[in-house]
Amino acid sequence: MKRGSGFSFHVTVVIAAIAFIYFSTVFVFIDQWFGLWSSPGMLNAVFFTVVAVICISNYALAIYTDPGQVPSSFVPDVEDPDNIVHEIKRKGGDLRYCQKCSLYKPPRAHHCRICNKCVLRMDHHCVWMNNCVGHANYKIFFIFVMYAVVSCIYSLVLLAGSITINSPKDDQQSEGSFRVVYIISGLILVPLSLALGFFLCWHFYLILQNKTTIEYQEGVRAMCVAEKGGYVYSHPYDLGAYENLTAVLGPNVLCWLLPSTKHIDSGLRFRTSFDNVPTPVSK
């Protein structure tokens, strides 16, 4: 999928917010609390800068990483004995086929109307990234949100701490300008921390269940239908909490907090809970 290089208002807003929060935190909050050139001031400035750089780097990676598209040659093999799960249409029971892309849809793939492409293991289209969140960039997106939450909470702590300090070098003019910075920063940081914190918890829950946002919504409907028929619905891609974590974040625990995607495969097939069920042997 070719990434567009056009102007995005939402991405511009995010970049402007990041820049404002960074400069406010380093040159106002830290300076007012510790003094920027003091030992604790420099230590906090360096640490916050490192976290901010990691956050921004992951944001850029999430924007410019292709979430994964369906190869034009893909055709599901219904006779493959190693792939016993095939997703079908709710109506008619046929294999899922995208009329807009003229391609068969692999499991967990969906068509994005904004990108006008079928995206592998699509979670959602994020306007704040101007990109889809899918198979190849989902971990990067999750890591970005995690570091964004850390950055916001860290900045809030520094903001709150600096308010309690009466700096002797403040004069009336600088106090007035600082007040504006504090008000704007608070209006940005408080709702942003709450929203991103909820978003992080939500996606951590989805990872533990090995679900995407779309699959969660579909699962609610499937659960209701199953209950009406006297059945119990279970998500076919749920392999257990640890296996689900390694499927998304990678097998190496030391790399879970890094945007590494070496463990990502083609995205055309995924392990299911049925793969672990032994085949009965006829006597």
Side-chain angles (χ1 to χ4, degrees), residues 65-76:
T65 298
D66 189 332
Q69 62 177 328
V70 181
S72 58
S73 59
F74 173 76
V75 177

Side-chain angles (χ1 to χ4, degrees), residues 98-280:
C98 180
Q99 299 291 342
K100 296 179 180 178
C101 297
S102 300
L103 294 171
Y104 282 101
K105 294 181 182 179
R108 316 182 80 174
H110 296 274
H111 185 85
C112 176
R113 291 175 294 179
I114 300 175
C115 295
N116 197 30
K117 295 283 185 181
C118 282
V119 178
L120 298 175
R121 195 187 181 274
M122 180 178 174
D123 187 273
H124 68 284
H125 182 90
C126 182
V127 295
W128 301 106
M129 289 172 21
N130 193 31
N131 193 13
C132 271
V133 177
H135 177 63
N137 67 346
Y138 182 80
K139 180 188 176 182
I140 301 172
F141 161 79
F142 179 76
I143 297 299
F144 157 66
V145 174
M146 182 187 66
Y147 282 110
V149 170
V150 172
S151 301
C152 287
I153 294 176
Y154 191 9
S155 182
L156 267 177
V157 171
L158 292 171
L159 183 154
S162 63
I163 289 177
T164 62
I165 301 298
N166 292 321
S167 178
K169 64 182 180 180
D170 287 347
D171 54 29
Q172 190 172 2
Q173 182 177 0
S174 62
E175 185 179 349
S177 59
F178 286 157
R179 186 180 293 113
V180 174
V181 173
Y182 278 110
I183 292 174
I184 296 176
S185 298
L187 291 175
I188 294 175
L189 286 171
V190 172
L192 193 59
S193 298
L194 292 174
L196 289 176
F198 171 80
F199 207 52
L200 179 66
C201 293
W202 167 247
H203 278 278
F204 185 69
Y205 165 78
L206 291 179
I207 291 175
L208 289 177
Q209 302 290 321
N210 203 354
K211 293 179 180 178
T212 64
T213 301
I214 295 174
E215 289 169 350
Y216 174 84
Q217 297 169 346
E218 292 178 339
V220 172
R221 291 193 295 266
M223 190 179 299
C224 295
V225 173
E227 288 179 354
K228 291 180 181 179
Y231 299 99
V232 177
Y233 171 78
S234 62
H235 184 56
Y237 301 106
D238 186 359
L239 307 174
Y242 181 75
E243 290 293 331
N244 294 339
L245 281 169
T246 57
V248 175
L249 302 180
N252 189 349
V253 178
L254 298 177
C255 295
W256 282 7
L257 301 182
L258 301 176
S260 59
T261 56
K262 293 181 180 179
H263 64 285
I264 298 296
D265 56 14
S266 65
L268 300 177
R269 179 185 172 188
F270 297 89
R271 286 179 57 198
T272 69
S273 55
F274 300 101
D275 296 341
N276 301 323
V277 177
T279 304

